[in-house]
Amino acid sequence: DAKTTQPPSMDCAEGRAANLPCNHSTISGNEYVYWYRQIHSQGPQYIIHGLKNNETNEMASLIITEDRKSSTLILPHATLRDTAVYYCILGVGAGSYQLTFGKGTKLSVIP
Amino acid sequence: GAVVSQHPSRVICKSGTSVKIECRSLDFQATTMFWYRQFPKQSLMLMATSNEGSKATYEQGVEKDKFLINHASLTLSTLTVTSAHPEDSSFYICSASPLNSPLHFGNGTRLTVT
């Protein structure tokens, strides 16, 4: 079973920030938080990952709470191409193998 | 960034035939690759772990004699669906990563068995 909980769906207006929450209250000390997204009929795309510090890259920002029991993926300016299923996944190590996918959040970016 | 390539992207085959799907790491070597399967409106499910130079490890409920995995080099793993049946129709996705880097996924293979 996936160790994360995400809302099944969210809407976001185009151009606005999309904030996708994830709960992982049973996270272990050596588990990283990974975010992937899957656009329809494609393989999952890596977005970002972090251990305990907030992270930012060209795609998104990841905010992890101090107790590490939850996190938020932020897409700063959502576009229609960001419509996808977003998966929050826990993985051991910075190079994580055997990722277990939950059901994710279906993000719909609305014009 | 790391690139994982899958081929073919789509395949249609008749019931009882076998289909081979290739997964290549284009710019890195991968001693381990992973094969996932995704049915419509469901999430990805890990089928097996492909190990270069040794036998694959299959997840519970996945028939190793039906889903043959060969990882003959550090850049290529193949999944062969033997004696395919309509219930094997699915989206098959492979993944791999360079050392100490996140997993990257191929673009998947849509298998339709008629």
Side-chain angles (χ1 to χ4, degrees), chain B residues 11-15 19 21 36-40 42 47 66-67 81-92 109-114:
Chain B
V11 58
I12 300 172
C13 72
K14 292 187 176 181
S15 188
V19 173
I21 303 169
Y36 290 80
R37 178 169 55 183
Q38 185 176 32
F39 291 107
Q42 295 186 23
M47 296 177 65
K66 181 170 185 61
F67 298 99
V81 183
T82 63
S83 186
H85 287 94
E87 57 266 31
D88 298 323
S89 298
S90 190
F91 192 48
Y92 293 86
T109 297
R110 176 78 55 193
L111 170 63
T112 303
V113 185
T114 61

Side-chain angles (χ1 to χ4, degrees), chain A residues 24-44:
Chain A
H24 31 80
S25 58
T26 61
I27 190 170
S28 301
N30 61 350
E31 287 183 309
Y32 285 69
V33 180
Y34 286 82
W35 283 85
Y36 285 78
R37 71 180 182 185
Q38 186 177 25
I39 296 169
H40 184 62
S41 294
Q42 296 183 23

Side-chain angles (χ1 to χ4, degrees), chain A residues 34 36 38 40-46 49 87 94-104, chain B residues 34 36 38 43-44 46 49 59 91 93 97-108 110:
Chain A
Y34 286 82
Y36 285 78
Q38 186 177 25
H40 184 62
S41 294
Q42 296 183 23
Q45 177 189 23
Y46 166 77
H49 75 287
Y87 296 98
S96 193
Y97 304 125
Q98 280 200 348
L99 297 181
T100 300
F101 284 76
K103 297 184 178 181
Chain B
F34 300 91
Y36 290 80
Q38 185 176 32
S43 190
L44 283 77
L46 179 67
T49 301
E59 296 299 300
F91 192 48
I93 310 166
S97 73
L99 187 63
N100 293 326
S101 297
L103 268 183
H104 288 266
F105 289 79
N107 263 334
R110 176 78 55 193

